[in-house]
């Protein structure tokens, strides 16, 4: 069982930046960030497999968000810049030993953190 703990959420004004971090209890090949708004389904934001195989799941975050990981420390980061109100939501860190096919699909991930809230005010 892999344990994940997120940190770094909060409230920020539109145009600002937030960095999310996630610490894992052990290494897994793939990790990712997912966002949930209210009771909607969790949607992929960005995932990374190995050290540098990144996938940005929605066009709206490309060029604004950067996912990275430090495999030596089992940490995952998401740098979010130029934030918009539509970026608001609960952000979850997720991990899985490996992913075949769509790495942005939440159902492919086995382990989840508790989530951290990001609220962007306009």
């Amino acid at each position: 069982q892999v344990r994940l703990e997120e940190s770094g959420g909060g409230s920020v004004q539109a145009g600002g930046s937030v960095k999310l971090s996630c610490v894992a209890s052990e290494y897994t090949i793939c990790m990712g960030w997912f966002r949930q708004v209210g009771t909607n389904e969790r949607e992929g934001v960005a995932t990374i497999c190995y050290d540098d195989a990144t996938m940005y799941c929605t066009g709206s975050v490309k060029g604004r968000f950067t996912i990275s990981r430090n495999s030596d420390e089992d940490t995952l980061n998401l740098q979010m810049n130029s934030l918009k109100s539509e970026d608001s939501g609960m952000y979850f860190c997720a991990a899985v030993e490996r992913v075949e096919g769509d790495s942005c699909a939440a159902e492919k991930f086995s382990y989840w953190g508790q989530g951290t809230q990001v609220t962007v005010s306009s």
Side-chain angles (χ1 to χ4, degrees):
Q1 185 77 13
V2 178
R3 297 182 302 279
L4 304 169
E5 183 171 355
E6 305 97 335
S7 62
S11 298
V12 63
Q13 289 192 328
S17 297
V18 167
K19 182 179 180 179
L20 304 182
S21 296
C22 173
V23 178
S25 60
E26 61 187 83
Y27 176 82
T28 58
I29 290 176
C30 293
M31 298 185 74
W33 291 99
F34 294 78
R35 176 175 62 215
Q36 185 173 22
V37 179
T39 58
N40 293 338
E41 291 185 356
R42 293 180 187 179
E43 61 176 0
V45 175
T47 63
I48 184 168
C49 295
Y50 300 99
D51 285 338
D52 56 7
T54 59
M55 178 69 70
Y56 293 93
C57 304
T58 66
S60 66
V61 307
K62 291 180 181 178
R64 298 190 300 122
F65 291 10
T66 302
I67 189 170
S68 62
R69 71 185 299 179
N70 183 328
S71 295
D72 292 337
E73 298 179 353
D74 293 329
T75 58
L76 176 72
N77 299 304
L78 184 68
Q79 178 68 46
M80 304 189 293
N81 299 328
S82 302
L83 283 162
K84 306 175 182 179
S85 57
E86 53 263 41
D87 296 321
S88 296
M90 184 71 79
Y91 283 73
F92 294 88
C93 174
V96 66
E97 282 81 0
R98 65 177 61 86
V99 171
E100 294 183 0
D102 183 8
S103 65
C104 291
E107 61 268 24
K108 296 288 182 72
F109 285 75
S110 303
Y111 309 106
W112 293 86
Q114 294 299 306
T116 184
Q117 178 69 35
V118 174
T119 303
V120 183
S121 58
S122 57

